[in-house]
Amino acid sequence: MVSPISLVSLVFAVAIASVDCNIEGDALSAWKTNLVDPSNVLQSWDSTLVNPCTWYHITCDLNDHVTRVDLGHIGLSGILVPQLGDLSNLQYLEVYGNSLTGVIPTEIGKITTLISLDLYQNQLSGTIPPSLGSLVSLKFLRLNSNKLTGAVPAEVLQLVKSGSLTVYNVSDNQLVGSVHHTNTAELGSK
Ligand SMILES: *[C@@H]1O[C@H](CO)[C@@H](O)[C@H](O)[C@H]1NC(C)=O
């Protein structure tokens, strides 16, 4: 027989589970409020839905966790927000070819499931966060053609040296110092 206490626990567990599900939708909604979207490509991003899995440009896995954000060449400006770090199952962040400004949030380094971080051809500025060195699953790191400054952090160079990245491009920024462990001209900072 089910005791009242276990019923109460069950209700709490269900409540916690649904709050948990909304974290990713909340993160993306927070991002949307910081984006300028003249072509209304984010119209389907309805924060009142139980999860973001039916939104355009979003892909989820079978457990309704967001695995892909595909917003390449889609006319967006605005900024990347720290809440993107809450997309804890994200594998592909494809936001290339827009007009995003501001910095790359340190919190992106929390997404250890990330396979591809494609932020190339935007107007991103500031330095590359050392936290990106924590992205041990990363295969594609393309930050080229932005306005990034400073040196590539040692943590990120370590990732490059580890050989796990298939594609790494930070060229066409305003970076200084070593950007790679070899002298590959194409990947130079100029
Ligand atoms: C690296 O980025 C630069 C600048 O965006 C681009 O011209 C070049 O083709 C890229 N290299 C590779 C190998 O993709």
Side-chain angles (χ1 to χ4, degrees), residues 150-167:
V152 179
E155 292 85 345
V156 174
L157 288 176
Q158 192 52 48
L159 201 62
V160 176
K161 279 177 202 164
S162 76
S164 59
L165 293 176
T166 310
V167 177

Side-chain angles (χ1 to χ4, degrees), residues 25 29 32 42-52 54-56:
S29 295
K32 183 184 175 180
L42 306 180
Q43 199 168 21
S44 65
W45 287 27
D46 177 356
S47 60
T48 66
L49 297 179
V50 66
N51 64 49
T54 56
W55 300 1
Y56 286 6

Side-chain angles (χ1 to χ4, degrees), residues 104-167:
I104 301 173
T106 298
E107 289 79 1
I108 301 269
K110 292 197 304 186
I111 317 172
T112 50
T113 50
L114 213 53
I115 293 171
S116 179
L117 180 58
D118 279 333
L119 305 177
Y120 59 91
Q121 294 170 4
N122 279 287
Q123 310 285 323
L124 298 169
S125 58
T127 54
I128 298 174
S131 65
L132 297 191
S134 309
L135 300 175
V136 290
S137 304
L138 209 59
K139 297 267 179 280
F140 304 89
L141 178 57
R142 285 180 280 214
L143 308 176
N144 48 293
S145 294
N146 277 288
K147 296 178 168 173
L148 300 170
T149 52
V152 179
E155 292 85 345
V156 174
L157 288 176
Q158 192 52 48
L159 201 62
V160 176
K161 279 177 202 164
S162 76
S164 59
L165 293 176
T166 310
V167 177

